[in-house]
Amino acid sequence: MRHTDFRERMAEEFGRLRAEMLAEDHVLSTLGGRTADQALEAGYSPKQVWLALCDVFEVPAARR
Protein backbone atom coordinates (compact mmCIF):
# COMPACT_ATOMS: atom_id res chain seq x y z
CA MET A 1 0.00 0.00 0.00
CA ARG A 2 1.33 3.45 -0.91
CA HIS A 3 0.95 6.54 1.26
CA THR A 4 -1.57 7.98 -1.20
CA ASP A 5 -3.66 4.79 -0.97
CA PHE A 6 -3.54 5.05 2.82
CA ARG A 7 -4.79 8.65 2.76
CA GLU A 8 -7.56 7.76 0.29
CA ARG A 9 -8.76 4.84 2.42
CA MET A 10 -8.70 7.02 5.53
CA ALA A 11 -10.82 9.67 3.81
CA GLU A 12 -13.27 7.09 2.45
CA GLU A 13 -13.70 5.38 5.81
CA PHE A 14 -13.72 8.34 8.19
CA GLY A 15 -14.37 11.39 6.03
CA ARG A 16 -11.56 13.73 4.99
CA LEU A 17 -11.60 16.04 8.03
CA ARG A 18 -11.93 13.29 10.62
CA ALA A 19 -9.25 11.23 8.86
CA GLU A 20 -6.81 14.12 9.09
CA MET A 21 -7.61 14.61 12.77
CA LEU A 22 -7.22 10.90 13.53
CA ALA A 23 -3.89 10.72 11.74
CA GLU A 24 -2.58 13.72 13.68
CA ASP A 25 -4.08 13.16 17.13
CA HIS A 26 -5.13 9.57 17.85
CA VAL A 27 -2.38 7.66 19.65
CA LEU A 28 -2.16 3.96 18.81
CA SER A 29 -0.62 1.73 21.45
CA THR A 30 0.04 -1.00 18.87
CA LEU A 31 2.31 1.43 17.02
CA GLY A 32 4.47 2.23 20.01
CA GLY A 33 2.30 5.02 21.36
CA ARG A 34 2.49 6.99 18.12
CA THR A 35 -0.14 8.69 16.03
CA ALA A 36 -0.63 7.43 12.48
CA ASP A 37 1.42 10.33 11.11
CA GLN A 38 4.21 9.73 13.62
CA ALA A 39 4.23 6.00 12.84
CA LEU A 40 4.55 6.67 9.12
CA GLU A 41 7.40 9.09 9.77
CA ALA A 42 9.06 6.49 12.01
CA GLY A 43 9.09 3.97 9.17
CA TYR A 44 5.97 1.89 9.73
CA SER A 45 4.39 0.87 6.45
CA PRO A 46 1.11 2.50 5.45
CA LYS A 47 -0.47 -0.98 5.52
CA GLN A 48 0.63 -1.55 9.15
CA VAL A 49 -0.81 1.81 10.16
CA TRP A 50 -4.04 1.23 8.26
CA LEU A 51 -4.58 -2.18 9.86
CA ALA A 52 -3.86 -0.76 13.33
CA LEU A 53 -6.50 1.92 12.78
CA CYS A 54 -8.94 -0.67 11.42
CA ASP A 55 -8.52 -2.75 14.57
CA VAL A 56 -9.06 0.20 16.92
CA PHE A 57 -12.10 1.53 15.06
CA GLU A 58 -13.51 -1.92 14.22
CA VAL A 59 -13.55 -1.40 10.47
CA PRO A 60 -15.26 -4.42 8.89
CA ALA A 61 -12.97 -6.89 7.15
CA ALA A 62 -14.54 -6.13 3.76
CA ARG A 63 -13.23 -2.54 3.94
CA ARG A 64 -9.75 -3.27 5.29
Side-chain angles (χ1 to χ4, degrees), residues 28-55:
L28 300 155
S29 61
T30 57
L31 299 176
R34 295 175 176 91
T35 66
D37 286 343
Q38 291 170 337
L40 291 168
E41 289 175 18
Y44 285 81
S45 74
K47 184 175 182 176
Q48 286 175 296
V49 177
W50 172 247
L51 292 175
L53 285 163
C54 287
D55 287 343

Side-chain angles (χ1 to χ4, degrees), residues 7 10 14-25 37:
R7 297 293 176 187
M10 287 283 291
F14 302 109
R16 188 149 312 274
L17 182 59
R18 184 169 182 227
E20 290 174 19
M21 291 172 52
L22 287 174
E24 291 176 11
D25 299 330
D37 286 343

